[in-house]
Amino acid sequence: MPRSVPVQDTAPPLRFLIIDDNRSDAYLVRQCLDEAFTKRPPQLEHAATIDEAMSRLDGSRYDLLLIDFRLGADDGISLLRRIRARGIGTPAIFLTGYGNEEIVAQALKAGVDDYVPKGAENLPRLPDAVRHTLARFEQRRALEEAERRYRMLYEAAPVGVFQTAKDGTVLGANPAALQILGCQDLRALLGLNSRDFYADPKDRKRWMEVMESEGAVQGMEARCRRLDGQIIWARVSALAIRDGAGRLVSFEGTLEDITPRMEAEEALRRSEARKTSILDAALDAIITIDAAGRITEFNPAAERMLGYGRTEALGRELAELIIPPAFRAGHREGLARYLATSEPRILGRRIEMTAIRRDGSEFPVELAITRVPGDGPVQFTGFMRDQSERRQAEDALRRSEEQLRSSQKMEAVGRLAGGVAHDFNNLLTVIQGHSELLLARLRSDDPIRKEIEQIRKAGERAAGLTRQLLAFSRRQVLQARVLDLNEVVADMEKMLRRLIGEDIDLITRLGPRIAHVKADPGQLEQVIMNLAVNARDAMPEGGRLIIETADTTLDEKFCRAHPPTHPGPYVMLALTDTGSGMAPETLSYLFEPFFTTKEKGKGTGLGLATVYGIVKQSDGYVWVESEPGKGSSFRIYLPPVEGPAQTVEPKTGGSGVDTGSETILLVEDEPVVRELARRILEMNGYNVLEAGDVGEARRLCGTHPEPIHLLVTDVVMPVMSGRGLADALSSLRPEMRVLYMSGYTDDAIVRHGILLEGVPFLQKPFTPQRLAAKVREVLDLPRD
């Protein structure tokens, strides 16, 4: 076993200074202490005078002073006061033979720590007094050190520390608390009530309730008002201090300014709110995925677009959710390649792809992908836009462009057809007129009668073609009226059943109390008849034809897909058959003149062109939907009008015969037509003044001495229109009536192809009977 080594006390020896002018007494004290402190004997020094004592104290540090009360002419109390005045806090024991209470009181007041009387009988008490004094001094010094350290911490603490009375009155606060509360001097804070610092009365009430019930508040966060009026966020903790009897004495606590944290949290909340608001308001789907391809963000637009709820989508792999199976492997490979190489490839670019909805339907999207910035886990955000409407708009635009090109082509053809019809109608007027005149002069058994009848019939067929061309070119004259479309269909139903035959089932579905339309009843009947005939021809083995009427509204979406329609209310007329249907390439040419799918000799190709022209001239639209083997549906949309429906009143002449004796001024720039009209009128007993131009008409009107009862004028003439001529002559012959005639009309007597109310008009080509009847009708009209 190794030999143990005694532990030596390394503490420095104690140093005592005995201040006594009696060396014998000083010796006795030294002897007493040497005997008492054998284990740690103190170093004992002696000073016989006050000056010597002060000198020693200035140069050395002592652990204890033993002072005699009487020091020559002075006393120990005076010395102790001088010592304490110099800031020397060494503990001191008085040694004196004077033991009255007054001296003891003065000594204690001067700063003495203990008192031991002199004398042999009292000296043994000295060692215990020394020990107790040193012990108390050490305790006091430790307490002072602790107090110093506490004060240092209290003053330098970054957290506010405060003390209040039990009623909340502020008793103390450290510099940090003063700074937090906006106070420069503690004196400005003392006496205020801590509860008044709470900006919200609810927080003040909560503080009091918690303190009363629990005796402590831990980390209460509340809005506080500083002395300068500024509102801050503070975190308050406090403890109730009670005395030995459990009575509440005061409160002590800490105060932290958490305004920056709360502002940061509020900024974060606002940022999150803005982010949520943006995500919620975004029209595009916004989806964020992590490095594994799993969804971490899914905004409402994505919910609407893809059909999944947010909670349902979060955590699921994007590839399985919205990417069609054929493209999933490529998506996963691209994600893995980026994570391995950071190769951007599709980042920051717009790509077009196909996505899949929850119901399995696929649709086109445009996608832009970005990597979420930051040092956290890798995430990617995709901004996805549904391209269905754009594709539809592009298709609609393409159809619109095709429709425009088709309309422009048909407009050009219409202008050509209208011009041809004008001149052709003049020729047909001559052909038909002279044919009728010749037939009237021939016997029924005349050998050439048959040939002339063939000429007349050919002229009638040609006149029918020109009427169709005028209808297509929208240059015919419509005598529009306010109509009940249901009545028009109902009046035609019996005739249509005979027209389409027994093998076809005719069904009418007329909407209840539909709005009225404004159209020419005869032309509208022509539209229905042409469509019914086409339906019949598309169902050679029988089928079903449905005629429907209804009020409807065309919305923006429909109009975008069906240019040039405009949104708004309409009255619909629809004819739907179960026939053979048509291919898309057929539909693109369907309304063009002379286009037909029928066999040669079975159609002119003007039936649907006529339908198109009549509907367009009536401010309507016509659309067809058809597929091979699935029949066809023609839908006509006419604008509704106000007012009651009108009936067509039969025209009646005055005498019931077409002859007369009145004077007629005939103005026609085409000589053959003028000559034919003159012959017809003269044959019916009229006196005819003939003019080939406007100037000659004016001369005749001004020089003829007798009344002129009727002006018969062509509408389209060089220099001046027929309407202009009639207006010019009205001042010379105010009682003269006017009958207009033309192969087609301009805006002189019509507006947008609709005959102006009260304007007599004769359509070319006309027969002798028709001219005579129309002249008589105008002459017999009652005077206003």
Side-chain angles (χ1 to χ4, degrees):
M1 294 289 294
R3 186 175 60 182
S4 62
V5 178
V7 178
Q8 295 182 354
D9 188 359
T10 59
L14 296 174
R15 295 182 65 196
F16 297 170
L17 177 61
I18 303 172
I19 305 171
D20 194 337
D21 58 351
N22 189 326
R23 293 185 178 275
S24 297
D25 290 343
Y27 174 78
L28 292 176
V29 169
R30 180 190 297 269
Q31 186 177 20
C32 177
L33 293 178
D34 285 341
E35 293 176 357
F37 294 95
T38 58
K39 292 183 178 180
R40 188 184 178 190
Q43 293 182 359
L44 299 175
E45 299 181 16
H46 176 243
T49 65
I50 291 177
D51 291 339
E52 184 183 1
M54 295 303 298
S55 176
R56 288 181 178 273
L57 289 171
D58 285 341
S60 301
R61 175 186 175 277
Y62 294 92
D63 297 297
L64 181 65
L65 301 179
L66 299 169
I67 305 174
D68 187 21
F69 177 70
R70 288 295 181 186
L71 293 172
D74 209 339
D75 56 52
I77 293 177
S78 299
L79 173 62
L80 187 58
R81 286 173 178 163
R82 290 176 60 184
I83 293 172
R84 296 293 185 244
R86 292 192 180 185
I88 300 173
T90 306
I93 297 176
F94 260 26
L95 302 172
T96 181
Y98 301 91
N100 60 61
E101 293 181 359
E102 182 181 354
I103 293 175
V104 172
Q106 291 179 3
L108 293 174
K109 188 175 181 180
V112 74
D113 292 276
D114 204 351
Y115 172 83
V116 176
K118 283 186 176 182
E121 68 280 5
N122 294 319
L123 197 58
R125 292 174 47 196
L126 181 59
D128 289 337
V130 169
R131 292 187 182 95
H132 292 158
T133 298
L134 292 176
R136 284 195 303 269
F137 179 76
E138 287 298 324
Q139 291 175 354
R140 185 170 67 248
R141 189 163 60 178
L143 183 61
E144 290 175 353
E145 179 63 19
E147 178 67 21
R148 184 188 66 80
R149 291 181 180 179
Y150 169 77
R151 177 57 57 181
M152 181 181 65
L153 293 175
Y154 180 82
E155 296 293 332
V159 177
V161 181
F162 65 89
Q163 303 86 33
T164 71
K166 62 182 180 180
D167 63 354
T169 301
V170 177
L171 301 177
N174 71 338
L178 297 179
Q179 183 179 5
I180 292 172
L181 295 175
C183 182
Q184 299 295 329
D185 191 337
L186 177 61
R187 288 173 294 182
L189 194 64
L190 296 177
L192 299 179
N193 197 296
S194 62
R195 297 168 186 171
D196 294 334
F197 286 99
Y198 288 104
D200 190 339
K202 294 180 181 178
D203 290 331
R204 186 182 308 125
K205 181 180 179 183
R206 182 160 55 103
W207 159 275
M208 296 174 64
E209 289 175 349
V210 173
M211 288 301 297
E212 289 176 0
S213 61
E214 301 180 13
V217 170
Q218 184 63 40
M220 175 178 166
E221 295 181 352
R223 296 170 68 246
C224 294
R225 180 179 288 103
R226 292 165 31 121
L227 291 184
D228 58 9
Q230 181 182 350
I231 302 298
I232 64 170
W233 276 97
R235 186 174 187 270
V236 185
S237 297
L239 180 67
I241 305 301
R242 301 182 183 276
D243 60 14
R247 292 185 295 269
L248 178 64
V249 176
S250 63
F251 295 103
E252 293 186 0
T254 59
L255 181 69
E256 298 176 72
D257 186 352
I258 59 171
T259 303
R261 193 201 82 193
M262 297 298 287
E263 289 177 346
E265 291 178 356
E266 179 62 23
L268 180 61
R269 281 193 295 271
R270 288 196 298 267
S271 176
E272 288 295 325
R274 285 195 298 270
K275 172 189 170 186
T276 301
S277 177
I278 292 171
L279 289 175
D280 290 348
L283 298 178
D284 294 339
I286 302 176
I287 303 174
T288 300
I289 62 172
D290 59 18
R294 300 194 178 279
I295 297 172
T296 60
E297 187 55 68
F298 201 79
N299 76 329
E303 294 179 302
R304 294 189 296 270
M305 183 184 297
L306 299 167
Y308 294 95
R310 182 175 184 273
T311 55
E312 185 180 10
L314 294 179
R316 296 182 62 178
E317 187 188 8
L318 178 70
E320 293 182 355
L321 200 68
I322 69 169
I323 298 179
F327 302 101
R328 290 173 185 170
H331 166 78
R332 293 180 178 122
E333 290 173 2
L335 180 59
R337 185 184 305 112
Y338 177 84
L339 294 173
T341 64
S342 294
E343 182 182 356
R345 299 204 66 178
I346 64 172
L347 294 186
R349 293 168 45 199
R350 293 182 177 271
I351 60 174
E352 293 190 354
M353 58 172 286
T354 299
I356 186 170
R357 297 185 179 90
R358 181 175 185 173
D359 60 8
S361 60
E362 296 185 358
F363 64 105
V365 298
E366 184 181 53
L367 181 66
I369 304 174
T370 183
R371 178 169 175 171
V372 178
D375 299 329
V378 175
Q379 292 193 94
F380 303 92
T381 295
F383 302 84
M384 189 163 63
R385 180 170 298 173
D386 189 343
Q387 296 297 298
S388 301
E389 290 189 3
R390 194 199 77 182
R391 297 282 179 85
Q392 292 171 0
E394 290 174 350
D395 292 342
L397 178 60
R398 185 167 52 253
R399 288 195 300 270
S400 177
E401 291 173 346
E402 293 173 354
Q403 179 73 18
L404 177 61
R405 287 192 294 270
S406 177
S407 298
Q408 291 172 337
K409 179 172 63 176
M410 294 174 73
E411 186 68 27
V413 173
R415 285 195 297 270
L416 175 62
V420 170
H422 171 260
D423 294 335
F424 197 41
N425 275 335
N426 281 334
L427 299 176
L428 289 175
T429 300
V430 175
I431 293 171
Q432 287 187 288
H434 284 288
S435 297
E436 293 287 347
L437 292 177
L438 283 173
L439 288 172
R441 292 165 55 187
L442 295 176
R443 300 187 310 272
S444 60
D445 59 347
D446 194 297
I448 67 171
R449 185 179 183 88
K450 185 175 182 180
E451 284 79 3
I452 296 176
E453 286 181 346
Q454 290 297 324
I455 294 173
R456 180 178 59 81
K457 290 178 180 178
E460 290 175 352
R461 288 196 297 270
L465 289 175
T466 58
R467 283 194 298 272
Q468 289 178 308
L469 286 173
L470 286 172
F472 166 72
S473 63
R474 288 171 275 167
R475 299 191 181 210
Q476 65 177 338
V477 178
L478 298 182
Q479 299 187 43
R481 299 176 183 274
V482 178
L483 301 174
D484 185 335
L485 198 54
N486 285 348
E487 291 183 3
V488 174
V489 175
D491 291 344
M492 294 185 66
E493 186 171 355
K494 186 178 293 185
M495 183 270 291
L496 290 175
R497 291 187 187 277
R498 292 195 301 269
L499 181 68
I500 63 177
E502 296 180 354
D503 293 338
I504 298 176
D505 185 16
L506 176 63
I507 302 172
T508 57
R509 297 172 180 170
L510 306 182
R513 303 183 65 177
I514 62 174
H516 294 159
V517 298
K518 190 169 187 179
D520 187 315
Q523 298 296 329
L524 194 55
E525 290 174 354
Q526 184 69 42
V527 167
I528 296 173
M529 188 172 66
N530 285 1
L531 293 176
V533 168
N534 281 357
R536 178 199 64 190
D537 295 343
M539 298 181 289
E541 298 180 0
R544 184 171 63 253
L545 174 61
I546 303 173
I547 302 179
E548 300 174 85
T549 62
D551 286 334
T552 188
T553 299
L554 302 184
D555 57 19
E556 293 280 357
K557 183 177 181 181
F558 178 91
C559 294
R560 283 196 300 268
H562 299 80
T565 55
H566 296 287
Y570 290 88
V571 180
M572 182 197 71
L573 168 66
L575 283 82
T576 305
D577 64 62
T578 58
S580 56
M582 293 172 281
E585 55 270 18
T586 300
L587 294 177
S588 60
Y589 299 99
L590 195 61
F591 294 112
E592 293 187 8
F594 305 113
F595 175 79
T596 180
T597 59
K598 298 178 181 178
E599 297 178 9
K600 187 176 181 179
K602 292 189 177 181
T604 63
L606 288 172
L608 289 178
T610 301
V611 170
Y612 175 84
I614 294 172
V615 172
K616 295 296 289 184
Q617 198 169 354
S618 301
D619 292 330
Y621 305 101
V622 56
W623 284 96
V624 58
E625 296 177 356
S626 183
E627 292 184 38
K630 295 185 178 180
S632 302
S633 179
F634 287 82
R635 296 180 181 271
I636 296 167
Y637 300 96
L638 297 173
V641 296
E642 299 292 337
Q646 298 172 287
T647 58
V648 180
E649 298 179 358
K651 298 182 178 69
T652 59
S655 62
V657 295
D658 298 335
T659 60
S661 59
E662 291 91 344
T663 298
I664 298 175
L665 175 58
L666 173 63
V667 184
E668 168 63 62
D669 64 320
E670 188 65 41
V672 292
V673 177
R674 185 175 68 249
E675 192 273 335
L676 173 64
R678 179 186 58 77
R679 286 186 59 187
I680 294 171
L681 294 173
E682 289 178 342
M683 287 173 60
N684 284 274
Y686 296 104
N687 177 32
V688 180
L689 302 175
E690 184 179 352
D693 55 43
V694 172
E696 188 176 0
R698 283 180 169 177
R699 184 183 60 79
L700 288 172
C701 193
T703 60
H704 186 68
E706 301 295 332
I708 300 176
H709 301 89
L710 177 66
L711 169 65
V712 178
T713 178
D714 192 16
V715 175
V716 181
M717 294 188 298
V719 181
M720 184 180 290
S721 70
R723 180 60 181 267
L725 175 62
D727 292 341
L729 298 181
S730 63
S731 61
L732 298 174
R733 304 280 180 167
E735 298 299 322
M736 182 175 63
R737 297 187 174 187
V738 182
L739 171 62
Y740 298 100
M741 58 182 181
S742 181
Y744 77 97
T745 60
D746 60 11
D747 282 348
I749 62 171
V750 299
R751 184 175 292 110
H752 305 300
I754 307 300
L755 185 67
L756 297 177
E757 187 174 356
V759 177
F761 175 76
L762 178 63
Q763 176 74 54
K764 294 179 180 180
F766 52 79
T767 64
Q769 294 81 6
R770 181 62 184 142
L771 174 59
K774 191 68 178 179
V775 166
R776 189 69 262 165
E777 176 188 322
V778 176
L779 288 170
D780 291 342
L781 287 173
R783 296 281 180 180
D784 293 337

